[in-house]
Amino acid sequence: MTEAGKLNRSAAYASILVASLLLTLKAWAVWSTGSTAMLGSLADTTLDLVASLATLLGVWVAAQPDDDNHRFGHDKAEALAAMFQVVLISISALSLALRAVGQIFAGARPQGAGDGIMVSAIAMLATLALLAWQRRVIAQTRSIAISTDHLHYKSDLALNLAVIAALALDQYAGIGGADALFGLLIAVWLGWGAWKASQQAIEQLMDQEWPDEKKARFLEVVARHPELKGLHDLRTRTAGNRDFVQFHVAVDPDMTVRAAHDVMDEIEDKLMAEFPGIEILIHPDPEGLVNETGLAAQDLLADAQSAPARSG
């Protein structure tokens, strides 16, 4: 297993450990207080545990080496794990919203606010420690599954703070309905978080092109090679923490196959130095020959070569 795979797995194990601890504490707090806001926090933690297990499975599959049936690797398993988390978060948000609305109409109020506040404070401390480790792992691996898990646990900080505020306002300030209202706000928060978390996963599953800034930097590196006469049909995508790119380059039609091969090797070395872990497929064409049409036929090299001059 690669070092990135080991780091991702360690973050997934840490997430499972924290979720298991908080699940036990919050189940007791719900029984003690009857708080809807705390119940929402418990539901979120339950989903945290299930999602963390899915994350562990996703990063484990993604870390497997290429095989005969998956020549491009298994990196998209992380995006699938992230989408599974999104579905769970959405279901939790809907269920919590329905309970909060029911409690508002019923006029029910929580008891034993002190216990709930104590559990939420412990949950915040444990979550802060987990987030610190996840940030370190994400910085080194760019794992989308860990990133989605990280986003969910970041929302947990606000969620636990909301539970503390709800219990304090309802029990100590005598503001009836605060617990149910905060429960409804937490449900909206979870739904918004699910929407945001789904975007990156969908982009990877749909093989969305790189951002324009990243493509521009890529083209600038390619444009430095003096033997290239043009570049077209550039295609890019990302799966997990791996980037894939393929493109056609125009070279001198009188260049030998060996010389063209050497040029391609030089380009790949420069690109890999700038974009570690990238997988590259280059198709050399004799200058003037472009079989593609539309956007694929557009020469991207001229714009990239003139970019430094324009910026200067």
Side-chain angles (χ1 to χ4, degrees):
M1 179 182 295
T2 64
E3 186 63 27
K6 292 178 181 178
L7 283 171
N8 287 337
R9 187 175 293 190
S10 73
Y13 281 134
S15 179
I16 292 171
L17 179 63
V18 170
S20 298
L21 171 65
L22 299 186
L23 181 66
T24 303
L25 290 174
K26 291 181 181 181
W28 172 79
V30 169
W31 174 81
S32 175
T33 66
S35 165
T36 293
M38 178 57 75
L39 180 62
S41 186
L42 173 63
D44 183 66
T45 299
T46 302
L47 291 177
D48 282 345
L49 179 57
V50 177
S52 295
L53 290 170
T55 298
L56 176 61
L57 178 61
V59 298
W60 180 82
V61 173
Q64 301 307 304
D66 303 354
D67 56 39
D68 291 341
N69 292 322
H70 305 88
R71 297 298 296 138
F72 288 101
H74 303 79
D75 301 87
K76 285 190 178 181
E78 290 196 15
L80 291 173
M83 287 303 298
F84 179 70
Q85 293 184 51
V86 167
V87 172
L88 292 179
I89 295 170
S90 300
I91 293 173
S92 174
L94 179 60
S95 300
L96 180 58
L98 292 175
R99 177 179 172 84
V101 170
Q103 188 180 25
I104 290 174
F105 284 107
R109 302 183 64 177
Q111 304 294 325
D115 293 338
I117 291 173
M118 177 189 67
V119 167
S120 294
I122 294 173
M124 291 181 71
L125 291 175
T127 301
L128 283 170
L130 175 62
L131 288 173
W133 178 245
Q134 286 181 329
R135 279 194 298 271
R136 180 178 175 182
V137 171
I138 293 168
Q140 297 186 52
T141 69
R142 296 188 302 150
S143 167
I144 185 176
I146 301 300
S147 294
T148 303
D149 212 30
H150 182 74
L151 176 64
H152 195 191
Y153 276 100
K154 280 176 66 177
S155 71
D156 281 356
L157 290 177
L159 186 151
N160 284 295
L161 188 60
V163 171
I164 292 174
L167 291 171
L169 288 173
D170 203 300
Q171 287 279 292
Y172 303 130
I175 302 178
D179 178 63
L181 178 60
F182 271 82
L184 186 59
L185 292 175
I186 291 170
V188 174
W189 175 272
L190 288 173
W192 175 244
W195 168 255
K196 290 195 299 182
S198 69
Q199 300 309 298
Q200 188 178 4
I202 291 174
E203 289 175 3
Q204 290 202 10
L205 290 172
M206 294 296 293
D207 288 335
Q208 181 164 314
E209 288 283 314
W210 291 353
D212 290 340
E213 298 80 5
K214 187 173 180 179
K215 290 175 73 172
R217 184 159 58 93
F218 179 90
L219 288 170
E220 286 176 12
V221 175
V222 178
R224 296 171 193 163
H225 202 289
E227 298 288 349
L228 298 188
K229 310 299 183 181
L231 183 150
H232 65 276
D233 199 13
L234 173 65
R235 304 185 186 192
T236 60
R237 67 184 180 92
T238 298
N241 63 349
R242 297 168 68 185
D243 288 325
F244 296 84
V245 61
Q246 63 185 64
F247 54 95
H248 290 228
V249 292
V251 296
D252 187 337
D254 295 325
M255 183 178 289
T256 65
V257 173
R258 179 176 294 277
H261 183 271
D262 291 340
V263 170
M264 302 306 111
D265 282 346
E266 291 172 6
I267 295 173
E268 288 184 359
D269 290 341
K270 291 180 180 179
L271 287 171
M272 288 180 178
E274 189 76 17
F275 300 87
I278 192 173
E279 294 207 9
I280 306 169
L281 178 61
I282 308 176
H283 182 91
D285 287 327
E287 184 181 7
L289 176 63
V290 178
N291 294 323
E292 292 72 26
T293 59
L295 288 176
Q298 181 181 350
D299 184 5
L300 304 176
L301 194 61
D303 290 339
Q305 289 173 332
S306 62
R310 288 198 303 268
S311 62

